Amino acid sequence: MSIIEFPVPAGAYGVAAAADGALWATHVHAGLLSRTTTDGRTTTIALGDGTGPMVITPGPDDALWFTLNAANAIGRVTVDGEVTRLPLPGTAPYGLTTGPDVTLWYTASGSGTVGRVRDGVAREFPAPGYPAVITAGPDGALWFTLNAADAIGRVTVDGEVTTFPLPTKGTGPVGICAGPDGALWFVGILAGVIGRITTDGVITEFPLPDTTTRPHAITTGPDGALWFTEWAGNRIGRITTDGTVTTIPLPTPSSEPHGLCTGPGGLWVALEYGALAHLPMP
């Protein structure tokens, strides 16, 4: 499979496919959003200094929503480029997703909370241990990683939080997604593992062939496998639901892959050195 790179401003961190058929990315250090069409044309929107945009996701309203980690806020951008923001009670928001209750859910890593935005009002629930990425699960709840606690968390739409300790200490989980097999899949950036947790809390870990590559983000691909980025390994990885791992090197050295998503024509990866990588897939 051949990877195609499209230049974008440096610092690309999160990436999401939008309702307008384009790819939108966050640029954490420059305080920018970028919009890239599938033929490689890119435009940018300045958010300002001290904003730190990180994770970006399609919302329940055809707009894109993103966390402003340094500004303690969530931003919203329409496909026409109109930006608004919502201040949060918690600090250092990071992960963001649309929940099964058709509202936005987020993590606030600095305050150790997970939150819900409903009708423009944010409400937060305690989740100590540096909550990171959050995703909607197949069981009607939200699942999230607790990076500093080496645990996976679960929160119901009513705000009831439970946690599941990981078997390996020093795992440092970051990315998490719902898998094609009815379980949740996550990456351990510090231990170099891919993990699987069932909705009743059974955890399986799969060590990567090279455990020093710092896996960062994970998503379900269009081929029914899980795809992940290896930030320090300069690779994209693939793991099947039975634990078979393969990897694909990125064409540019030291490109620092971070977020990834399924989008038009395959997988899209945000490369911090300044590009979006496209892995074409049926």
Side-chain angles (χ1 to χ4, degrees):
M1 288 182 278
S2 179
I3 295 173
I4 306 163
E5 290 189 6
F6 297 98
V8 297
Y13 191 88
V15 62
D20 62 352
L23 286 305
W24 288 70
T26 57
H27 300 263
V28 59
H29 305 301
L32 295 175
L33 298 178
S34 67
R35 176 186 182 274
T36 301
T37 58
T38 54
D39 59 0
R41 292 175 294 166
T42 296
T43 55
T44 60
I45 298 172
L47 301 172
D49 295 335
T51 51
M54 300 195 87
V55 172
I56 186 167
T57 187
D61 55 356
D62 284 339
L64 289 153
W65 294 74
F66 50 93
T67 48
L68 293 165
N69 185 261
N72 300 327
I74 288 175
R76 176 184 185 270
V77 60
T78 67
V79 293
D80 297 324
E82 180 182 348
V83 177
T84 53
R85 67 175 69 178
L86 172 70
L88 299 176
T91 57
Y94 182 80
L96 188 66
T97 193
T98 298
D101 54 349
V102 201
T103 64
L104 283 168
W105 284 78
Y106 64 92
T107 61
S109 300
S111 53
T113 51
V114 295
R116 181 191 66 218
V117 177
R118 177 179 289 169
D119 299 326
V121 177
R123 181 185 178 192
E124 296 186 356
F125 310 95
Y130 209 82
V133 177
I134 188 167
T135 191
D139 58 346
L142 289 300
W143 292 74
F144 55 94
T145 50
L146 288 162
N147 177 259
D150 290 328
I152 303 299
R154 178 184 184 271
V155 59
T156 68
V157 293
D158 296 322
E160 181 181 347
V161 175
T162 53
T163 59
F164 302 87
L166 298 178
T168 302
K169 298 300 180 184
T171 298
V174 181
I176 188 169
C177 72
D181 56 350
L184 289 302
W185 287 75
F186 61 91
V187 293
I189 194 170
L190 299 181
V193 300
I194 307 299
R196 178 183 184 271
I197 180 169
T198 63
T199 54
D200 56 357
V202 177
I203 298 168
T204 309
E205 292 180 341
F206 304 93
L208 295 175
D210 180 354
T211 58
T212 68
T213 56
R214 298 180 73 83
H216 175 78
I218 188 166
T219 193
T220 296
D223 59 346
L226 290 302
W227 290 79
F228 57 93
T229 51
E230 292 188 333
W231 175 42
N234 206 53
R235 293 190 291 259
I236 303 170
R238 178 183 186 271
I239 184 168
T240 61
T241 54
D242 64 1
T244 302
V245 175
T246 53
T247 58
I248 302 173
L250 290 164
T252 302
S254 303
S255 59
E256 294 188 82
H258 283 294
L260 79 169
C261 71
T262 295
L267 287 172
W268 294 81
V269 185
L271 307 180
E272 191 170 350
Y273 94 97
L276 294 184
H278 178 213
L279 180 62
M281 298 176 67

